Amino acid sequence: MAKLKILEFPDPRLRKKAAPVATVDDALRVFIADMFETMYEAPGIGLAATQVDVHKRLLVTDVSPDKSEPYVLINPEIVEKDGVTATDEGCLSVPGYYEEVERAEHIRVRFLDRNGDETEMEATGLLAVCIQHEIDHLDGKLFVDYLSEAKRQRIRKKLEKERRYAAVAL
Ligand code: ZN
């Protein structure tokens, strides 16, 4: 397994729209294992392929405290949603920032599992929020897009500045 590099806002590659996965094969399953390793080591509770510069519709998530609820969703599609919940969201691609975002409280999502079989699941609370956040990534959207323009620009400038210092410090 290999840890993958996570792109950070405002990298333009985070804005690419991912294409559907055509075949679920062993090569894809190796990539899925790498995605989980990268997410757990970050540490994070969700990761979309877009964030590691692979523009395929695939995401992994595990909102449990002990790595006991891993899910991989290939070509995910929300088929039902209801309710509203507000959560302080963060993102591995926007390190250090947490802002309140409103999303559906409950969703039903259809996807292919790691064997390529079509399946559906229901999710509520944090898992539902996480899946919606990750599907946004596949569409080139970030949680900062829900904030005001001024707030988003502030975060962008701070992150760019931090990165410049990091580059100088080597
Ligand atoms: Zn994210």
PDB file of all heavy atoms in Angstrom, residues 75-92:
ATOM      1  N   ASN A  75     -19.050   5.449  -7.973  1.00  0.00           N
ATOM      2  CA  ASN A  75     -20.141   6.091  -8.732  1.00  0.00           C
ATOM      3  C   ASN A  75     -21.349   6.409  -7.844  1.00  0.00           C
ATOM      4  O   ASN A  75     -22.488   6.067  -8.193  1.00  0.00           O
ATOM      5  CB  ASN A  75     -20.573   5.211  -9.915  1.00  0.00           C
ATOM      6  CG  ASN A  75     -19.454   4.988 -10.916  1.00  0.00           C
ATOM      7  OD1 ASN A  75     -18.459   5.709 -10.921  1.00  0.00           O
ATOM      8  ND2 ASN A  75     -19.611   3.986 -11.769  1.00  0.00           N
ATOM      9  N   PRO A  76     -21.135   7.050  -6.698  1.00  0.00           N
ATOM     10  CA  PRO A  76     -22.244   7.307  -5.774  1.00  0.00           C
ATOM     11  C   PRO A  76     -23.243   8.309  -6.334  1.00  0.00           C
ATOM     12  O   PRO A  76     -22.856   9.247  -7.042  1.00  0.00           O
ATOM     13  CB  PRO A  76     -21.542   7.893  -4.543  1.00  0.00           C
ATOM     14  CG  PRO A  76     -20.324   8.553  -5.090  1.00  0.00           C
ATOM     15  CD  PRO A  76     -19.881   7.676  -6.237  1.00  0.00           C
ATOM     16  N   GLU A  77     -24.494   8.072  -6.008  1.00  0.00           N
ATOM     17  CA  GLU A  77     -25.573   8.947  -6.461  1.00  0.00           C
ATOM     18  C   GLU A  77     -26.594   9.049  -5.334  1.00  0.00           C
ATOM     19  O   GLU A  77     -27.092   8.016  -4.866  1.00  0.00           O
ATOM     20  CB  GLU A  77     -26.230   8.283  -7.679  1.00  0.00           C
ATOM     21  CG  GLU A  77     -26.799   9.246  -8.676  1.00  0.00           C
ATOM     22  CD  GLU A  77     -27.464   8.466  -9.801  1.00  0.00           C
ATOM     23  OE1 GLU A  77     -26.811   7.536 -10.337  1.00  0.00           O
ATOM     24  OE2 GLU A  77     -28.623   8.762 -10.099  1.00  0.00           O
ATOM     25  N   ILE A  78     -26.892  10.243  -4.916  1.00  0.00           N
ATOM     26  CA  ILE A  78     -27.896  10.424  -3.863  1.00  0.00           C
ATOM     27  C   ILE A  78     -29.273  10.318  -4.509  1.00  0.00           C
ATOM     28  O   ILE A  78     -29.586  11.069  -5.426  1.00  0.00           O
ATOM     29  CB  ILE A  78     -27.698  11.766  -3.137  1.00  0.00           C
ATOM     30  CG1 ILE A  78     -26.387  11.729  -2.344  1.00  0.00           C
ATOM     31  CG2 ILE A  78     -28.877  12.058  -2.207  1.00  0.00           C
ATOM     32  CD1 ILE A  78     -25.951  13.040  -1.757  1.00  0.00           C
ATOM     33  N   VAL A  79     -30.066   9.357  -4.031  1.00  0.00           N
ATOM     34  CA  VAL A  79     -31.368   9.141  -4.655  1.00  0.00           C
ATOM     35  C   VAL A  79     -32.508   9.683  -3.797  1.00  0.00           C
ATOM     36  O   VAL A  79     -33.649   9.775  -4.263  1.00  0.00           O
ATOM     37  CB  VAL A  79     -31.602   7.649  -4.994  1.00  0.00           C
ATOM     38  CG1 VAL A  79     -30.697   7.232  -6.145  1.00  0.00           C
ATOM     39  CG2 VAL A  79     -31.388   6.744  -3.793  1.00  0.00           C
ATOM     40  N   GLU A  80     -32.209  10.000  -2.548  1.00  0.00           N
ATOM     41  CA  GLU A  80     -33.217  10.550  -1.650  1.00  0.00           C
ATOM     42  C   GLU A  80     -32.506  11.365  -0.596  1.00  0.00           C
ATOM     43  O   GLU A  80     -31.437  10.962  -0.128  1.00  0.00           O
ATOM     44  CB  GLU A  80     -33.901   9.394  -0.905  1.00  0.00           C
ATOM     45  CG  GLU A  80     -35.360   9.196  -1.203  1.00  0.00           C
ATOM     46  CD  GLU A  80     -35.864   7.989  -0.428  1.00  0.00           C
ATOM     47  OE1 GLU A  80     -35.904   8.040   0.817  1.00  0.00           O
ATOM     48  OE2 GLU A  80     -36.174   6.978  -1.082  1.00  0.00           O
ATOM     49  N   LYS A  81     -33.077  12.497  -0.222  1.00  0.00           N
ATOM     50  CA  LYS A  81     -32.522  13.212   0.926  1.00  0.00           C
ATOM     51  C   LYS A  81     -33.607  14.010   1.610  1.00  0.00           C
ATOM     52  O   LYS A  81     -34.555  14.457   0.973  1.00  0.00           O
ATOM     53  CB  LYS A  81     -31.358  14.112   0.516  1.00  0.00           C
ATOM     54  CG  LYS A  81     -31.634  15.138  -0.535  1.00  0.00           C
ATOM     55  CD  LYS A  81     -30.375  15.996  -0.684  1.00  0.00           C
ATOM     56  CE  LYS A  81     -30.388  16.816  -1.943  1.00  0.00           C
ATOM     57  NZ  LYS A  81     -29.156  17.596  -2.098  1.00  0.00           N
ATOM     58  N   ASP A  82     -33.473  14.142   2.944  1.00  0.00           N
ATOM     59  CA  ASP A  82     -34.416  14.983   3.671  1.00  0.00           C
ATOM     60  C   ASP A  82     -33.814  15.491   4.975  1.00  0.00           C
ATOM     61  O   ASP A  82     -32.797  14.999   5.437  1.00  0.00           O
ATOM     62  CB  ASP A  82     -35.743  14.244   3.917  1.00  0.00           C
ATOM     63  CG  ASP A  82     -35.538  12.917   4.576  1.00  0.00           C
ATOM     64  OD1 ASP A  82     -35.215  12.898   5.769  1.00  0.00           O
ATOM     65  OD2 ASP A  82     -35.661  11.885   3.872  1.00  0.00           O
ATOM     66  N   GLY A  83     -34.476  16.490   5.528  1.00  0.00           N
ATOM     67  CA  GLY A  83     -34.003  17.097   6.767  1.00  0.00           C
ATOM     68  C   GLY A  83     -32.839  18.034   6.519  1.00  0.00           C
ATOM     69  O   GLY A  83     -32.282  18.070   5.420  1.00  0.00           O
ATOM     70  N   VAL A  84     -32.511  18.797   7.548  1.00  0.00           N
ATOM     71  CA  VAL A  84     -31.374  19.727   7.457  1.00  0.00           C
ATOM     72  C   VAL A  84     -30.562  19.608   8.732  1.00  0.00           C
ATOM     73  O   VAL A  84     -31.121  19.516   9.830  1.00  0.00           O
ATOM     74  CB  VAL A  84     -31.854  21.195   7.316  1.00  0.00           C
ATOM     75  CG1 VAL A  84     -30.656  22.142   7.252  1.00  0.00           C
ATOM     76  CG2 VAL A  84     -32.723  21.370   6.077  1.00  0.00           C
ATOM     77  N   THR A  85     -29.246  19.563   8.575  1.00  0.00           N
ATOM     78  CA  THR A  85     -28.382  19.541   9.739  1.00  0.00           C
ATOM     79  C   THR A  85     -27.203  20.470   9.482  1.00  0.00           C
ATOM     80  O   THR A  85     -26.747  20.601   8.352  1.00  0.00           O
ATOM     81  CB  THR A  85     -27.906  18.098  10.053  1.00  0.00           C
ATOM     82  OG1 THR A  85     -27.123  18.114  11.247  1.00  0.00           O
ATOM     83  CG2 THR A  85     -27.084  17.511   8.925  1.00  0.00           C
ATOM     84  N   ALA A  86     -26.769  21.154  10.531  1.00  0.00           N
ATOM     85  CA  ALA A  86     -25.624  22.067  10.405  1.00  0.00           C
ATOM     86  C   ALA A  86     -24.451  21.475  11.180  1.00  0.00           C
ATOM     87  O   ALA A  86     -24.594  21.091  12.333  1.00  0.00           O
ATOM     88  CB  ALA A  86     -25.985  23.434  10.961  1.00  0.00           C
ATOM     89  N   THR A  87     -23.309  21.351  10.501  1.00  0.00           N
ATOM     90  CA  THR A  87     -22.135  20.725  11.105  1.00  0.00           C
ATOM     91  C   THR A  87     -20.914  21.604  10.874  1.00  0.00           C
ATOM     92  O   THR A  87     -20.780  22.213   9.817  1.00  0.00           O
ATOM     93  CB  THR A  87     -21.865  19.357  10.426  1.00  0.00           C
ATOM     94  OG1 THR A  87     -23.093  18.636  10.342  1.00  0.00           O
ATOM     95  CG2 THR A  87     -20.851  18.534  11.191  1.00  0.00           C
ATOM     96  N   ASP A  88     -20.032  21.663  11.861  1.00  0.00           N
ATOM     97  CA  ASP A  88     -18.737  22.316  11.648  1.00  0.00           C
ATOM     98  C   ASP A  88     -17.890  21.365  10.821  1.00  0.00           C
ATOM     99  O   ASP A  88     -17.440  20.351  11.317  1.00  0.00           O
ATOM    100  CB  ASP A  88     -18.042  22.586  12.983  1.00  0.00           C
ATOM    101  CG  ASP A  88     -18.442  23.938  13.559  1.00  0.00           C
ATOM    102  OD1 ASP A  88     -18.898  24.805  12.777  1.00  0.00           O
ATOM    103  OD2 ASP A  88     -18.298  24.129  14.777  1.00  0.00           O
ATOM    104  N   GLU A  89     -17.689  21.701   9.560  1.00  0.00           N
ATOM    105  CA  GLU A  89     -16.944  20.810   8.673  1.00  0.00           C
ATOM    106  C   GLU A  89     -15.509  21.271   8.490  1.00  0.00           C
ATOM    107  O   GLU A  89     -15.219  22.461   8.480  1.00  0.00           O
ATOM    108  CB  GLU A  89     -17.610  20.762   7.285  1.00  0.00           C
ATOM    109  CG  GLU A  89     -18.927  20.043   7.288  1.00  0.00           C
ATOM    110  CD  GLU A  89     -19.489  19.832   5.887  1.00  0.00           C
ATOM    111  OE1 GLU A  89     -18.731  19.872   4.901  1.00  0.00           O
ATOM    112  OE2 GLU A  89     -20.710  19.622   5.800  1.00  0.00           O
ATOM    113  N   GLY A  90     -14.644  20.292   8.330  1.00  0.00           N
ATOM    114  CA  GLY A  90     -13.273  20.560   7.953  1.00  0.00           C
ATOM    115  C   GLY A  90     -13.010  19.751   6.700  1.00  0.00           C
ATOM    116  O   GLY A  90     -13.903  19.064   6.201  1.00  0.00           O
ATOM    117  N   CYS A  91     -11.780  19.819   6.182  1.00  0.00           N
ATOM    118  CA  CYS A  91     -11.473  19.091   4.957  1.00  0.00           C
ATOM    119  C   CYS A  91      -9.960  18.900   4.891  1.00  0.00           C
ATOM    120  O   CYS A  91      -9.204  19.832   5.175  1.00  0.00           O
ATOM    121  CB  CYS A  91     -11.954  19.908   3.757  1.00  0.00           C
ATOM    122  SG  CYS A  91     -11.570  19.152   2.172  1.00  0.00           S
ATOM    123  N   LEU A  92      -9.532  17.704   4.504  1.00  0.00           N
ATOM    124  CA  LEU A  92      -8.089  17.448   4.406  1.00  0.00           C
ATOM    125  C   LEU A  92      -7.448  18.338   3.341  1.00  0.00           C
ATOM    126  O   LEU A  92      -6.243  18.561   3.373  1.00  0.00           O
ATOM    127  CB  LEU A  92      -7.836  15.971   4.077  1.00  0.00           C
ATOM    128  CG  LEU A  92      -8.242  14.976   5.182  1.00  0.00           C
ATOM    129  CD1 LEU A  92      -8.063  13.542   4.695  1.00  0.00           C
ATOM    130  CD2 LEU A  92      -7.439  15.215   6.446  1.00  0.00           C
TER     131      LEU A  92
END
